Amino acid sequence: MKIRTYWIVAAAALFSVGCSESPISVAATNSKASLPPDFHFSSQGLKVINFSINKRKHTMSILYGNDQAVILAKAGKQQFPDGQVLALVIWKEQGNPYWFGNNIPGELQTVEMVTGDKKNGKISYALYEGKDLVVNETTQESDIRTSYILSQKPSVLP
């Protein structure tokens, strides 16, 4: 009878400890890295083309593109026809609180949009900065940044 009582007490103790709340609060999303909803980024249907990390600046970026841009990138063509959309999103790196030794996107830095204009057949560039993605109309490096974005090669996935 004594042994049975000990087993019941031990099981109850383990059950109460096992069901306690986690000391780390689990956030559903990384709100620092989220793009503002009024930017309507997710509704554009863009897909990931590549991912890069800049160790000197401690930033990470993802190049997104519409279906047409993804097809041309996979084919290795650097053409820029009408309707193609590319977006380079850059975040500051931050340590992952749930996994030692790796980094995750932190504070949103910039979004650079390159689009093919159907009306005049030209490439347009727009730079949005900061958490609220305020457009920067005084960009002097637009040609350099456009060339850099267009030169990106797609990630090779198995």
Side-chain angles (χ1 to χ4, degrees):
M1 182 72 175
K2 266 184 160 179
I3 294 175
R4 185 176 172 184
T5 305
Y6 288 129
W7 279 107
I8 291 172
V9 170
L14 285 173
F15 182 73
S16 65
V17 170
C19 293
S20 66
E21 246 183 77
S22 172
I24 300 173
S25 67
V26 178
T29 59
N30 182 354
S31 60
K32 272 186 177 179
S34 298
L35 278 77
D38 58 343
F39 193 67
H40 303 291
F41 190 79
S42 60
S43 66
Q44 296 181 28
L46 303 178
K47 297 177 179 147
V48 174
I49 295 176
N50 76 10
F51 173 85
S52 62
I53 296 173
N54 186 329
K55 290 193 181 268
R56 282 184 288 145
K57 293 183 179 180
H58 301 285
T59 60
M60 53 181 48
S61 62
I62 297 178
L63 179 64
Y64 295 92
N66 62 358
D67 291 333
Q68 189 176 17
V70 172
I71 291 168
L72 289 172
K74 285 181 180 178
K77 297 183 180 178
Q78 292 195 356
Q79 303 168 354
F80 203 83
D82 291 343
Q84 186 174 356
V85 177
L86 293 168
L88 182 66
V89 183
I90 302 174
W91 296 271
K92 216 49 164 158
E93 280 183 327
Q94 72 177 19
N96 187 343
Y98 305 110
W99 193 273
F100 178 75
N102 73 352
N103 293 319
I104 59 174
E107 189 174 320
L108 179 63
Q109 298 286 296
T110 61
V111 174
E112 297 175 83
M113 301 287 294
V114 177
T115 56
D117 191 353
K118 292 181 181 179
K119 293 178 184 173
N120 60 14
K122 292 188 179 183
I123 298 172
S124 62
Y125 172 85
L127 173 64
Y128 302 90
E129 297 179 316
K131 179 67 179 156
D132 297 327
L133 295 179
V134 178
V135 68
N136 181 344
E137 297 186 20
T138 60
T139 307
Q140 296 176 359
E141 299 179 350
S142 63
D143 292 338
I144 296 168
R145 294 302 296 168
T146 300
S147 296
Y148 171 75
I149 292 169
L150 291 174
S151 69
Q152 295 300 299
K153 303 208 181 317
S155 297
V156 178
L157 301 173

